[in-house]
C-alpha cells in the first residue's frame, strides 16, 4: 500500500508542478518570484498528501 501511495504522490506532484508552470506563464509571474511560488505550492501539496496518507493508514 505504501508503494502505491508513493507512486500516486509522485504523479500528483508532477502534474501540480506542470500546472504551476502554466500558471506562472499565464499570469506572467516574474522569474524572481517563481521559486517561491513553486516552493509554497509544493509544501502545501506535500502536507495534503501526508495527511491523506495518515488518514488512509489509520482507517
Amino acid at each position: 500500500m505504501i508503494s502505491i501511495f508513493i507512486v500516486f504522490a509522485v504523479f500528483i506532484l508532477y502534474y501540480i508542478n506542470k500546472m504551476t508552470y502554466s500558471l506562472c506563464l499565464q499570469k506572467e509571474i516574474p522569474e524572481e518570484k517563481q521559486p517561491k511560488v513553486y516552493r509554497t505550492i509544493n509544501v502545501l501539496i506535500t502536507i495534503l498528501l501526508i495527511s491523506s496518507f495518515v488518514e488512509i493508514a489509520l482507517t
Side-chain angles (χ1 to χ4, degrees), residues 9-21:
V10 169
F11 178 76
I12 294 294
L13 281 172
Y14 173 75
Y15 278 100
I16 292 293
N17 280 324
K18 215 170 147 179
M19 288 190 290
T20 304
Y21 177 73

Side-chain angles (χ1 to χ4, degrees), residues 3-5 8 12 17 20 24 26 28 30 34-35 40-41 43 47 52 56 59:
S3 60
I4 293 171
F5 196 84
F8 173 72
I12 294 294
N17 280 324
T20 304
C24 288
Q26 183 179 10
E28 298 176 358
Q34 285 183 13
T40 302
I41 291 174
V43 166
I47 291 169
S52 298
I56 290 170
T59 58

Side-chain angles (χ1 to χ4, degrees), residues 6-57:
I6 290 173
V7 170
F8 173 72
V10 169
F11 178 76
I12 294 294
L13 281 172
Y14 173 75
Y15 278 100
I16 292 293
N17 280 324
K18 215 170 147 179
M19 288 190 290
T20 304
Y21 177 73
S22 298
L23 173 76
C24 288
L25 289 179
Q26 183 179 10
K27 296 296 181 180
E28 298 176 358
I29 296 174
E31 292 283 331
E32 308 85 47
K33 292 190 177 190
Q34 285 183 13
K36 187 174 180 180
V37 171
Y38 276 97
R39 190 176 319 114
T40 302
I41 291 174
N42 283 334
V43 166
L44 293 173
I45 294 298
T46 303
I47 291 169
L48 179 65
L49 288 169
I50 290 170
S51 65
S52 298
F53 177 75
V54 169
E55 185 171 337
I56 290 170

